[in-house]
Amino acid sequence: EEVIIAGLLHDVVEDTVVTIEEIEEKFGKKVADIVAQHTEDKSLSWEQRKAHTIEVVKTKTLSIEVKALIIADKLDNLTSLKQQYDVMGEEVWKAFKRGKEKQRWYNYSVVDAISNIEDKPDFFAEYQQLVHAVFK
């Protein structure tokens, strides 16, 4: 239940004035901790934020719940991107400041980061397959 709530709230801190403390107050410490570990520091560059996410996924001490939220978010984003790509083709990459090559680097880095996770949910493989399909 906490992971689902965190999933619904995962971008709230990045995109609004809501704080982790407010999330903890309303939804509990576990939800706040999961959201906090997924929240990017928007004061950093895109490359720094993405490198941090990759490291979070690689970190062996973090819970599978946090990693699952990250991969579910990436899967959702990439599914939407694939739908747009099917309509627009290569033009879709113009919507990204970092373009196709940086997006490829990031997604393949996340795939690499999850490769050593044991007992991962099935949708991790779905994300991996989609990365290969989009960035072939």
Side-chain angles (χ1 to χ4, degrees):
E1 186 175 296
E2 287 94 350
V3 176
I4 292 169
I5 295 168
L8 294 170
L9 298 172
H10 78 276
D11 281 338
V12 170
V13 176
E14 290 176 22
D15 298 341
T16 73
V17 297
V18 174
T19 66
I20 292 294
E21 293 75 24
E22 291 171 309
I23 290 174
E24 182 174 349
E25 183 179 304
K26 292 182 180 168
F27 299 100
K29 181 163 178 42
K30 185 170 183 175
V31 170
D33 287 345
I34 295 169
V35 171
Q37 291 178 57
H38 184 278
T39 299
E40 292 185 343
D41 180 349
K42 294 285 188 160
S43 70
L44 300 175
S45 71
W46 183 89
E47 290 80 5
Q48 290 171 312
R49 293 192 318 264
K50 301 312 173 192
H52 177 262
T53 298
I54 294 162
E55 284 306 311
V56 167
V57 174
K58 282 183 181 179
T59 303
K60 294 185 186 300
T61 57
L62 287 180
S63 73
I64 191 64
E65 296 156 323
V66 171
K67 295 174 186 189
L69 175 57
I70 291 170
I71 302 308
D73 183 29
K74 302 306 154 217
L75 176 59
D76 179 58
N77 293 344
L78 202 55
T79 299
S80 297
L81 174 63
K82 174 79 166 73
Q83 290 169 347
Q84 291 175 331
Y85 182 86
D86 290 345
V87 172
M88 299 174 60
E90 291 296 312
E91 290 292 310
V92 76
W93 301 111
K94 291 182 179 179
F96 293 88
K97 292 179 184 174
R98 297 306 197 275
K100 184 177 183 177
E101 290 309 311
K102 289 283 188 170
Q103 298 299 323
R104 178 193 317 253
W105 162 79
Y106 176 55
N107 282 279
Y108 272 110
S109 295
V110 172
V111 166
D112 184 55
I114 65 174
S115 65
N116 294 322
I117 299 173
E118 295 180 20
D119 300 321
K120 52 189 163 235
D122 292 341
F123 69 88
F124 280 45
E126 184 180 348
Y127 170 70
Q128 182 177 1
Q129 292 166 355
L130 190 55
V131 168
H132 293 301
V134 170
F135 297 103
K136 58 185 173 247

